[in-house]
Amino acid sequence: MIVLRPAAAGVPRVSIWLRPNRTLSRRGLRRLIMLLASLALTTAVLGAWVGNVFAPLFALVESSAVAIALCVAWRAGDRGERITLDDASLEVQSLSGRQRASFQPGWVRVRLDEGDDGCRRLLLSSHGRELEIGRFLAERERVELLRKLKLLLDEVNDRRRG
């Protein structure tokens, strides 16, 4: 998902937030886990009533494993990037805070390259450095981001030239 925050009046700074699509909220995740656990435990109680005494124990273990797996998958959706562009710099920061890179807008080039796995990669390059952005975006979203970044960089460069 690409969220563009345009420049405010008098402040020529544009922010682009990149986030993976996540349709399930934290509350929805809790409800899903509770629903799955209750279904598993209901089935286990019926199994125990018929004679399978280990069914409730297995249901508890299975429900815990499913809950942990769903939480881990949901947390993977927390990754994201923020791209900030103004007259002086183009800055990319991962939302986890581990990675931060800065480029000069007049020198940076944006391009799509063919990756090793067959997917195209969106790259920012300048002065021999390359940075892949939007790795978690769908192919269509990468192309859209490429167009937006090229347009914004052209506007910034035109403004700087005068």
Side-chain angles (χ1 to χ4, degrees):
M1 173 178 19
I2 301 170
V3 178
L4 179 65
R5 307 236 169 149
V11 181
R13 180 180 215 119
V14 177
S15 293
I16 301 173
W17 295 81
L18 307 176
R19 299 188 74 82
N21 288 330
R22 183 193 293 181
T23 58
L24 192 62
S25 66
R26 184 178 299 271
R27 183 177 177 192
L29 178 67
R30 284 191 203 123
R31 286 182 175 178
L32 177 64
I33 289 172
M34 295 303 288
L35 176 69
L36 292 175
S38 64
L39 288 173
L41 290 174
T42 302
T43 305
V45 167
L46 290 174
W49 184 58
V50 174
N52 184 359
V53 293
F54 295 112
L57 179 63
F58 178 75
L60 285 174
V61 171
E62 182 220 7
S63 296
S64 299
V66 167
I68 289 170
L70 285 172
C71 288
V72 167
W74 191 82
R75 297 273 289 161
D78 282 344
R79 62 184 178 214
E81 296 171 345
R82 183 180 68 205
I83 301 170
T84 307
L85 176 64
D86 59 17
D87 289 339
S89 69
L90 177 122
E91 190 173 294
V92 180
Q93 180 181 7
S94 67
L95 294 182
S96 63
R98 285 182 256 152
Q99 186 179 19
R100 184 182 206 124
S102 185
F103 297 95
Q104 294 174 344
W107 294 97
V108 70
R109 299 294 171 251
V110 185
R111 70 180 197 282
L112 279 173
D113 266 1
E114 201 64 36
D116 296 335
D117 56 357
C119 292
R120 295 192 295 179
R121 303 175 338 143
L122 183 58
L123 297 172
L124 296 175
S125 60
S126 175
H127 294 94
R129 292 185 324 162
E130 284 189 341
L131 176 67
E132 181 179 0
I133 58 173
R135 186 175 308 157
F136 46 82
L137 295 175
E139 184 74 22
R140 180 181 49 80
E141 290 175 320
R142 281 191 209 118
V143 172
E144 178 186 345
L145 180 60
L146 172 77
R147 287 189 198 121
K148 283 182 182 180
L149 278 176
K150 282 187 175 184
L151 182 72
L152 289 170
L153 284 168
D154 287 343
E155 286 178 12
V156 166
N157 290 330
D158 289 344
R159 219 175 23 240
R160 288 178 70 191
R161 285 186 201 121

PDB file of all heavy atoms in Angstrom, residues 8-41:
ATOM      1  N   ALA A   8       2.954  20.388   2.455  1.00  0.00           N
ATOM      2  CA  ALA A   8       2.041  21.381   3.031  1.00  0.00           C
ATOM      3  C   ALA A   8       2.376  22.743   2.445  1.00  0.00           C
ATOM      4  O   ALA A   8       3.411  22.928   1.812  1.00  0.00           O
ATOM      5  CB  ALA A   8       2.189  21.396   4.550  1.00  0.00           C
ATOM      6  N   ALA A   9       1.515  23.688   2.672  1.00  0.00           N
ATOM      7  CA  ALA A   9       1.720  25.036   2.140  1.00  0.00           C
ATOM      8  C   ALA A   9       3.003  25.626   2.717  1.00  0.00           C
ATOM      9  O   ALA A   9       3.173  25.706   3.924  1.00  0.00           O
ATOM     10  CB  ALA A   9       0.528  25.907   2.496  1.00  0.00           C
ATOM     11  N   GLY A  10       3.928  25.999   1.844  1.00  0.00           N
ATOM     12  CA  GLY A  10       5.171  26.611   2.284  1.00  0.00           C
ATOM     13  C   GLY A  10       6.252  25.628   2.672  1.00  0.00           C
ATOM     14  O   GLY A  10       7.385  26.020   2.897  1.00  0.00           O
ATOM     15  N   VAL A  11       5.946  24.351   2.794  1.00  0.00           N
ATOM     16  CA  VAL A  11       6.933  23.344   3.157  1.00  0.00           C
ATOM     17  C   VAL A  11       7.036  22.348   1.999  1.00  0.00           C
ATOM     18  O   VAL A  11       6.143  21.532   1.819  1.00  0.00           O
ATOM     19  CB  VAL A  11       6.524  22.603   4.466  1.00  0.00           C
ATOM     20  CG1 VAL A  11       7.568  21.583   4.839  1.00  0.00           C
ATOM     21  CG2 VAL A  11       6.303  23.592   5.581  1.00  0.00           C
ATOM     22  N   PRO A  12       8.103  22.430   1.208  1.00  0.00           N
ATOM     23  CA  PRO A  12       8.204  21.563   0.032  1.00  0.00           C
ATOM     24  C   PRO A  12       8.717  20.166   0.373  1.00  0.00           C
ATOM     25  O   PRO A  12       9.687  19.689  -0.181  1.00  0.00           O
ATOM     26  CB  PRO A  12       9.190  22.327  -0.853  1.00  0.00           C
ATOM     27  CG  PRO A  12      10.080  23.018   0.103  1.00  0.00           C
ATOM     28  CD  PRO A  12       9.216  23.372   1.290  1.00  0.00           C
ATOM     29  N   ARG A  13       8.083  19.488   1.295  1.00  0.00           N
ATOM     30  CA  ARG A  13       8.511  18.163   1.718  1.00  0.00           C
ATOM     31  C   ARG A  13       7.378  17.186   1.462  1.00  0.00           C
ATOM     32  O   ARG A  13       6.259  17.393   1.918  1.00  0.00           O
ATOM     33  CB  ARG A  13       8.871  18.193   3.187  1.00  0.00           C
ATOM     34  CG  ARG A  13       9.331  16.880   3.710  1.00  0.00           C
ATOM     35  CD  ARG A  13       9.682  16.966   5.194  1.00  0.00           C
ATOM     36  NE  ARG A  13      10.792  16.091   5.426  1.00  0.00           N
ATOM     37  CZ  ARG A  13      11.967  16.458   5.871  1.00  0.00           C
ATOM     38  NH1 ARG A  13      12.183  17.702   6.174  1.00  0.00           N
ATOM     39  NH2 ARG A  13      12.913  15.582   6.040  1.00  0.00           N
ATOM     40  N   VAL A  14       7.683  16.104   0.752  1.00  0.00           N
ATOM     41  CA  VAL A  14       6.698  15.081   0.430  1.00  0.00           C
ATOM     42  C   VAL A  14       7.110  13.795   1.130  1.00  0.00           C
ATOM     43  O   VAL A  14       8.286  13.417   1.105  1.00  0.00           O
ATOM     44  CB  VAL A  14       6.629  14.855  -1.101  1.00  0.00           C
ATOM     45  CG1 VAL A  14       5.657  13.750  -1.434  1.00  0.00           C
ATOM     46  CG2 VAL A  14       6.246  16.134  -1.802  1.00  0.00           C
ATOM     47  N   SER A  15       6.169  13.129   1.745  1.00  0.00           N
ATOM     48  CA  SER A  15       6.433  11.836   2.379  1.00  0.00           C
ATOM     49  C   SER A  15       5.603  10.761   1.704  1.00  0.00           C
ATOM     50  O   SER A  15       4.422  10.968   1.412  1.00  0.00           O
ATOM     51  CB  SER A  15       6.079  11.866   3.867  1.00  0.00           C
ATOM     52  OG  SER A  15       6.942  12.731   4.556  1.00  0.00           O
ATOM     53  N   ILE A  16       6.239   9.633   1.465  1.00  0.00           N
ATOM     54  CA  ILE A  16       5.556   8.475   0.909  1.00  0.00           C
ATOM     55  C   ILE A  16       5.736   7.341   1.906  1.00  0.00           C
ATOM     56  O   ILE A  16       6.859   6.980   2.253  1.00  0.00           O
ATOM     57  CB  ILE A  16       6.147   8.069  -0.460  1.00  0.00           C
ATOM     58  CG1 ILE A  16       6.045   9.228  -1.446  1.00  0.00           C
ATOM     59  CG2 ILE A  16       5.442   6.838  -0.998  1.00  0.00           C
ATOM     60  CD1 ILE A  16       6.764   8.967  -2.752  1.00  0.00           C
ATOM     61  N   TRP A  17       4.627   6.782   2.363  1.00  0.00           N
ATOM     62  CA  TRP A  17       4.655   5.666   3.300  1.00  0.00           C
ATOM     63  C   TRP A  17       4.356   4.392   2.525  1.00  0.00           C
ATOM     64  O   TRP A  17       3.343   4.305   1.831  1.00  0.00           O
ATOM     65  CB  TRP A  17       3.617   5.852   4.395  1.00  0.00           C
ATOM     66  CG  TRP A  17       3.898   7.020   5.273  1.00  0.00           C
ATOM     67  CD1 TRP A  17       3.626   8.329   5.016  1.00  0.00           C
ATOM     68  CD2 TRP A  17       4.522   6.999   6.547  1.00  0.00           C
ATOM     69  NE1 TRP A  17       4.033   9.124   6.050  1.00  0.00           N
ATOM     70  CE2 TRP A  17       4.584   8.335   7.008  1.00  0.00           C
ATOM     71  CE3 TRP A  17       5.026   5.985   7.349  1.00  0.00           C
ATOM     72  CZ2 TRP A  17       5.143   8.666   8.231  1.00  0.00           C
ATOM     73  CZ3 TRP A  17       5.573   6.330   8.568  1.00  0.00           C
ATOM     74  CH2 TRP A  17       5.632   7.647   8.999  1.00  0.00           C
ATOM     75  N   LEU A  18       5.220   3.412   2.633  1.00  0.00           N
ATOM     76  CA  LEU A  18       5.029   2.120   1.988  1.00  0.00           C
ATOM     77  C   LEU A  18       4.748   1.088   3.068  1.00  0.00           C
ATOM     78  O   LEU A  18       5.535   0.933   4.004  1.00  0.00           O
ATOM     79  CB  LEU A  18       6.286   1.712   1.206  1.00  0.00           C
ATOM     80  CG  LEU A  18       6.838   2.715   0.201  1.00  0.00           C
ATOM     81  CD1 LEU A  18       8.117   2.189  -0.411  1.00  0.00           C
ATOM     82  CD2 LEU A  18       5.818   3.020  -0.854  1.00  0.00           C
ATOM     83  N   ARG A  19       3.639   0.397   2.926  1.00  0.00           N
ATOM     84  CA  ARG A  19       3.270  -0.637   3.906  1.00  0.00           C
ATOM     85  C   ARG A  19       2.672  -1.815   3.152  1.00  0.00           C
ATOM     86  O   ARG A  19       1.994  -1.636   2.150  1.00  0.00           O
ATOM     87  CB  ARG A  19       2.253  -0.106   4.892  1.00  0.00           C
ATOM     88  CG  ARG A  19       2.755   1.069   5.701  1.00  0.00           C
ATOM     89  CD  ARG A  19       1.795   1.431   6.789  1.00  0.00           C
ATOM     90  NE  ARG A  19       1.800   0.500   7.882  1.00  0.00           N
ATOM     91  CZ  ARG A  19       2.681   0.494   8.879  1.00  0.00           C
ATOM     92  NH1 ARG A  19       3.639   1.344   8.906  1.00  0.00           N
ATOM     93  NH2 ARG A  19       2.594  -0.367   9.855  1.00  0.00           N
ATOM     94  N   PRO A  20       2.904  -3.012   3.648  1.00  0.00           N
ATOM     95  CA  PRO A  20       2.229  -4.156   3.026  1.00  0.00           C
ATOM     96  C   PRO A  20       0.733  -4.107   3.303  1.00  0.00           C
ATOM     97  O   PRO A  20       0.301  -3.513   4.294  1.00  0.00           O
ATOM     98  CB  PRO A  20       2.866  -5.375   3.700  1.00  0.00           C
ATOM     99  CG  PRO A  20       3.680  -4.872   4.817  1.00  0.00           C
ATOM    100  CD  PRO A  20       3.785  -3.394   4.722  1.00  0.00           C
ATOM    101  N   ASN A  21      -0.035  -4.687   2.434  1.00  0.00           N
ATOM    102  CA  ASN A  21      -1.480  -4.727   2.651  1.00  0.00           C
ATOM    103  C   ASN A  21      -1.790  -5.640   3.832  1.00  0.00           C
ATOM    104  O   ASN A  21      -1.339  -6.780   3.885  1.00  0.00           O
ATOM    105  CB  ASN A  21      -2.200  -5.237   1.405  1.00  0.00           C
ATOM    106  CG  ASN A  21      -2.189  -4.217   0.303  1.00  0.00           C
ATOM    107  OD1 ASN A  21      -2.175  -3.024   0.564  1.00  0.00           O
ATOM    108  ND2 ASN A  21      -2.178  -4.674  -0.924  1.00  0.00           N
ATOM    109  N   ARG A  22      -2.547  -5.118   4.772  1.00  0.00           N
ATOM    110  CA  ARG A  22      -2.954  -5.911   5.936  1.00  0.00           C
ATOM    111  C   ARG A  22      -4.429  -5.609   6.167  1.00  0.00           C
ATOM    112  O   ARG A  22      -4.791  -4.496   6.505  1.00  0.00           O
ATOM    113  CB  ARG A  22      -2.151  -5.512   7.156  1.00  0.00           C
ATOM    114  CG  ARG A  22      -2.509  -6.376   8.352  1.00  0.00           C
ATOM    115  CD  ARG A  22      -1.979  -5.832   9.632  1.00  0.00           C
ATOM    116  NE  ARG A  22      -0.534  -5.865   9.701  1.00  0.00           N
ATOM    117  CZ  ARG A  22       0.140  -5.454  10.766  1.00  0.00           C
ATOM    118  NH1 ARG A  22      -0.482  -4.999  11.809  1.00  0.00           N
ATOM    119  NH2 ARG A  22       1.443  -5.487  10.774  1.00  0.00           N
ATOM    120  N   THR A  23      -5.261  -6.609   5.973  1.00  0.00           N
ATOM    121  CA  THR A  23      -6.695  -6.386   6.104  1.00  0.00           C
ATOM    122  C   THR A  23      -7.228  -6.764   7.482  1.00  0.00           C
ATOM    123  O   THR A  23      -8.356  -6.440   7.801  1.00  0.00           O
ATOM    124  CB  THR A  23      -7.462  -7.212   5.054  1.00  0.00           C
ATOM    125  OG1 THR A  23      -7.141  -8.583   5.212  1.00  0.00           O
ATOM    126  CG2 THR A  23      -7.112  -6.754   3.657  1.00  0.00           C
ATOM    127  N   LEU A  24      -6.433  -7.431   8.278  1.00  0.00           N
ATOM    128  CA  LEU A  24      -6.888  -7.898   9.585  1.00  0.00           C
ATOM    129  C   LEU A  24      -6.328  -6.996  10.679  1.00  0.00           C
ATOM    130  O   LEU A  24      -5.113  -6.813  10.789  1.00  0.00           O
ATOM    131  CB  LEU A  24      -6.427  -9.346   9.802  1.00  0.00           C
ATOM    132  CG  LEU A  24      -7.021 -10.106  10.959  1.00  0.00           C
ATOM    133  CD1 LEU A  24      -8.525 -10.251  10.786  1.00  0.00           C
ATOM    134  CD2 LEU A  24      -6.390 -11.477  11.073  1.00  0.00           C
ATOM    135  N   SER A  25      -7.202  -6.429  11.497  1.00  0.00           N
ATOM    136  CA  SER A  25      -6.758  -5.586  12.610  1.00  0.00           C
ATOM    137  C   SER A  25      -6.342  -6.476  13.775  1.00  0.00           C
ATOM    138  O   SER A  25      -6.559  -7.685  13.781  1.00  0.00           O
ATOM    139  CB  SER A  25      -7.893  -4.658  13.043  1.00  0.00           C
ATOM    140  OG  SER A  25      -8.956  -5.426  13.585  1.00  0.00           O
ATOM    141  N   ARG A  26      -5.749  -5.853  14.795  1.00  0.00           N
ATOM    142  CA  ARG A  26      -5.348  -6.617  15.993  1.00  0.00           C
ATOM    143  C   ARG A  26      -6.577  -7.240  16.665  1.00  0.00           C
ATOM    144  O   ARG A  26      -6.548  -8.383  17.091  1.00  0.00           O
ATOM    145  CB  ARG A  26      -4.622  -5.698  16.966  1.00  0.00           C
ATOM    146  CG  ARG A  26      -4.090  -6.416  18.192  1.00  0.00           C
ATOM    147  CD  ARG A  26      -3.349  -5.469  19.106  1.00  0.00           C
ATOM    148  NE  ARG A  26      -2.202  -4.860  18.494  1.00  0.00           N
ATOM    149  CZ  ARG A  26      -0.977  -5.376  18.505  1.00  0.00           C
ATOM    150  NH1 ARG A  26      -0.772  -6.521  19.084  1.00  0.00           N
ATOM    151  NH2 ARG A  26       0.018  -4.741  17.936  1.00  0.00           N
ATOM    152  N   ARG A  27      -7.661  -6.482  16.715  1.00  0.00           N
ATOM    153  CA  ARG A  27      -8.902  -6.986  17.304  1.00  0.00           C
ATOM    154  C   ARG A  27      -9.447  -8.159  16.479  1.00  0.00           C
ATOM    155  O   ARG A  27      -9.897  -9.164  17.030  1.00  0.00           O
ATOM    156  CB  ARG A  27      -9.922  -5.860  17.358  1.00  0.00           C
ATOM    157  CG  ARG A  27     -11.211  -6.224  17.997  1.00  0.00           C
ATOM    158  CD  ARG A  27     -12.106  -5.009  18.062  1.00  0.00           C
ATOM    159  NE  ARG A  27     -13.390  -5.353  18.605  1.00  0.00           N
ATOM    160  CZ  ARG A  27     -14.417  -4.565  18.573  1.00  0.00           C
ATOM    161  NH1 ARG A  27     -14.317  -3.370  18.043  1.00  0.00           N
ATOM    162  NH2 ARG A  27     -15.562  -4.945  19.086  1.00  0.00           N
ATOM    163  N   GLY A  28      -9.393  -8.030  15.152  1.00  0.00           N
ATOM    164  CA  GLY A  28      -9.830  -9.119  14.281  1.00  0.00           C
ATOM    165  C   GLY A  28      -8.975 -10.359  14.438  1.00  0.00           C
ATOM    166  O   GLY A  28      -9.471 -11.492  14.383  1.00  0.00           O
ATOM    167  N   LEU A  29      -7.663 -10.166  14.642  1.00  0.00           N
ATOM    168  CA  LEU A  29      -6.762 -11.308  14.866  1.00  0.00           C
ATOM    169  C   LEU A  29      -7.135 -12.039  16.151  1.00  0.00           C
ATOM    170  O   LEU A  29      -7.201 -13.276  16.169  1.00  0.00           O
ATOM    171  CB  LEU A  29      -5.315 -10.820  14.932  1.00  0.00           C
ATOM    172  CG  LEU A  29      -4.265 -11.892  15.220  1.00  0.00           C
ATOM    173  CD1 LEU A  29      -4.168 -12.867  14.056  1.00  0.00           C
ATOM    174  CD2 LEU A  29      -2.926 -11.250  15.505  1.00  0.00           C
ATOM    175  N   ARG A  30      -7.399 -11.287  17.212  1.00  0.00           N
ATOM    176  CA  ARG A  30      -7.809 -11.923  18.476  1.00  0.00           C
ATOM    177  C   ARG A  30      -9.107 -12.708  18.300  1.00  0.00           C
ATOM    178  O   ARG A  30      -9.235 -13.822  18.808  1.00  0.00           O
ATOM    179  CB  ARG A  30      -7.996 -10.864  19.558  1.00  0.00           C
ATOM    180  CG  ARG A  30      -6.716 -10.357  20.111  1.00  0.00           C
ATOM    181  CD  ARG A  30      -6.971  -9.513  21.355  1.00  0.00           C
ATOM    182  NE  ARG A  30      -5.854  -8.632  21.552  1.00  0.00           N
ATOM    183  CZ  ARG A  30      -5.933  -7.321  21.624  1.00  0.00           C
ATOM    184  NH1 ARG A  30      -7.092  -6.720  21.549  1.00  0.00           N
ATOM    185  NH2 ARG A  30      -4.863  -6.594  21.796  1.00  0.00           N
ATOM    186  N   ARG A  31     -10.053 -12.114  17.596  1.00  0.00           N
ATOM    187  CA  ARG A  31     -11.330 -12.809  17.378  1.00  0.00           C
ATOM    188  C   ARG A  31     -11.133 -14.085  16.567  1.00  0.00           C
ATOM    189  O   ARG A  31     -11.755 -15.107  16.858  1.00  0.00           O
ATOM    190  CB  ARG A  31     -12.316 -11.890  16.668  1.00  0.00           C
ATOM    191  CG  ARG A  31     -12.872 -10.825  17.549  1.00  0.00           C
ATOM    192  CD  ARG A  31     -13.863  -9.980  16.798  1.00  0.00           C
ATOM    193  NE  ARG A  31     -14.488  -9.009  17.685  1.00  0.00           N
ATOM    194  CZ  ARG A  31     -15.356  -8.124  17.293  1.00  0.00           C
ATOM    195  NH1 ARG A  31     -15.727  -8.049  16.030  1.00  0.00           N
ATOM    196  NH2 ARG A  31     -15.871  -7.285  18.153  1.00  0.00           N
ATOM    197  N   LEU A  32     -10.300 -14.022  15.530  1.00  0.00           N
ATOM    198  CA  LEU A  32     -10.027 -15.205  14.721  1.00  0.00           C
ATOM    199  C   LEU A  32      -9.380 -16.299  15.549  1.00  0.00           C
ATOM    200  O   LEU A  32      -9.775 -17.474  15.466  1.00  0.00           O
ATOM    201  CB  LEU A  32      -9.124 -14.840  13.534  1.00  0.00           C
ATOM    202  CG  LEU A  32      -8.693 -16.006  12.637  1.00  0.00           C
ATOM    203  CD1 LEU A  32      -9.909 -16.625  11.949  1.00  0.00           C
ATOM    204  CD2 LEU A  32      -7.660 -15.540  11.628  1.00  0.00           C
ATOM    205  N   ILE A  33      -8.407 -15.959  16.374  1.00  0.00           N
ATOM    206  CA  ILE A  33      -7.740 -16.947  17.219  1.00  0.00           C
ATOM    207  C   ILE A  33      -8.726 -17.552  18.205  1.00  0.00           C
ATOM    208  O   ILE A  33      -8.745 -18.778  18.405  1.00  0.00           O
ATOM    209  CB  ILE A  33      -6.531 -16.309  17.939  1.00  0.00           C
ATOM    210  CG1 ILE A  33      -5.422 -16.028  16.923  1.00  0.00           C
ATOM    211  CG2 ILE A  33      -6.028 -17.211  19.058  1.00  0.00           C
ATOM    212  CD1 ILE A  33      -4.268 -15.233  17.477  1.00  0.00           C
ATOM    213  N   MET A  34      -9.569 -16.726  18.807  1.00  0.00           N
ATOM    214  CA  MET A  34     -10.564 -17.245  19.756  1.00  0.00           C
ATOM    215  C   MET A  34     -11.561 -18.169  19.059  1.00  0.00           C
ATOM    216  O   MET A  34     -11.941 -19.209  19.611  1.00  0.00           O
ATOM    217  CB  MET A  34     -11.299 -16.087  20.447  1.00  0.00           C
ATOM    218  CG  MET A  34     -10.409 -15.236  21.313  1.00  0.00           C
ATOM    219  SD  MET A  34      -9.555 -16.156  22.598  1.00  0.00           S
ATOM    220  CE  MET A  34     -10.903 -16.512  23.680  1.00  0.00           C
ATOM    221  N   LEU A  35     -11.977 -17.804  17.858  1.00  0.00           N
ATOM    222  CA  LEU A  35     -12.910 -18.634  17.105  1.00  0.00           C
ATOM    223  C   LEU A  35     -12.288 -19.985  16.766  1.00  0.00           C
ATOM    224  O   LEU A  35     -12.906 -21.034  16.975  1.00  0.00           O
ATOM    225  CB  LEU A  35     -13.349 -17.915  15.826  1.00  0.00           C
ATOM    226  CG  LEU A  35     -14.250 -18.729  14.892  1.00  0.00           C
ATOM    227  CD1 LEU A  35     -15.619 -18.929  15.533  1.00  0.00           C
ATOM    228  CD2 LEU A  35     -14.369 -18.041  13.547  1.00  0.00           C
ATOM    229  N   LEU A  36     -11.057 -19.969  16.268  1.00  0.00           N
ATOM    230  CA  LEU A  36     -10.391 -21.220  15.910  1.00  0.00           C
ATOM    231  C   LEU A  36     -10.143 -22.094  17.144  1.00  0.00           C
ATOM    232  O   LEU A  36     -10.321 -23.315  17.096  1.00  0.00           O
ATOM    233  CB  LEU A  36      -9.074 -20.934  15.185  1.00  0.00           C
ATOM    234  CG  LEU A  36      -9.200 -20.320  13.802  1.00  0.00           C
ATOM    235  CD1 LEU A  36      -7.824 -19.967  13.249  1.00  0.00           C
ATOM    236  CD2 LEU A  36      -9.926 -21.263  12.862  1.00  0.00           C
ATOM    237  N   ALA A  37      -9.748 -21.468  18.246  1.00  0.00           N
ATOM    238  CA  ALA A  37      -9.508 -22.230  19.474  1.00  0.00           C
ATOM    239  C   ALA A  37     -10.801 -22.829  20.008  1.00  0.00           C
ATOM    240  O   ALA A  37     -10.828 -23.992  20.442  1.00  0.00           O
ATOM    241  CB  ALA A  37      -8.859 -21.333  20.524  1.00  0.00           C
ATOM    242  N   SER A  38     -11.878 -22.061  19.973  1.00  0.00           N
ATOM    243  CA  SER A  38     -13.150 -22.600  20.480  1.00  0.00           C
ATOM    244  C   SER A  38     -13.658 -23.741  19.594  1.00  0.00           C
ATOM    245  O   SER A  38     -14.199 -24.727  20.102  1.00  0.00           O
ATOM    246  CB  SER A  38     -14.192 -21.492  20.610  1.00  0.00           C
ATOM    247  OG  SER A  38     -14.499 -20.947  19.350  1.00  0.00           O
ATOM    248  N   LEU A  39     -13.490 -23.626  18.275  1.00  0.00           N
ATOM    249  CA  LEU A  39     -13.892 -24.728  17.396  1.00  0.00           C
ATOM    250  C   LEU A  39     -13.064 -25.981  17.657  1.00  0.00           C
ATOM    251  O   LEU A  39     -13.595 -27.094  17.706  1.00  0.00           O
ATOM    252  CB  LEU A  39     -13.762 -24.315  15.927  1.00  0.00           C
ATOM    253  CG  LEU A  39     -14.787 -23.310  15.414  1.00  0.00           C
ATOM    254  CD1 LEU A  39     -14.434 -22.871  14.004  1.00  0.00           C
ATOM    255  CD2 LEU A  39     -16.178 -23.909  15.455  1.00  0.00           C
ATOM    256  N   ALA A  40     -11.744 -25.803  17.826  1.00  0.00           N
ATOM    257  CA  ALA A  40     -10.882 -26.955  18.093  1.00  0.00           C
ATOM    258  C   ALA A  40     -11.225 -27.595  19.439  1.00  0.00           C
ATOM    259  O   ALA A  40     -11.299 -28.830  19.558  1.00  0.00           O
ATOM    260  CB  ALA A  40      -9.419 -26.533  18.067  1.00  0.00           C
ATOM    261  N   LEU A  41     -11.462 -26.774  20.452  1.00  0.00           N
ATOM    262  CA  LEU A  41     -11.786 -27.323  21.776  1.00  0.00           C
ATOM    263  C   LEU A  41     -13.169 -27.966  21.798  1.00  0.00           C
ATOM    264  O   LEU A  41     -13.379 -28.993  22.472  1.00  0.00           O
ATOM    265  CB  LEU A  41     -11.679 -26.235  22.834  1.00  0.00           C
ATOM    266  CG  LEU A  41     -10.248 -25.775  23.128  1.00  0.00           C
ATOM    267  CD1 LEU A  41     -10.249 -24.593  24.076  1.00  0.00           C
ATOM    268  CD2 LEU A  41      -9.417 -26.922  23.696  1.00  0.00           C
TER     269      LEU A  41
END
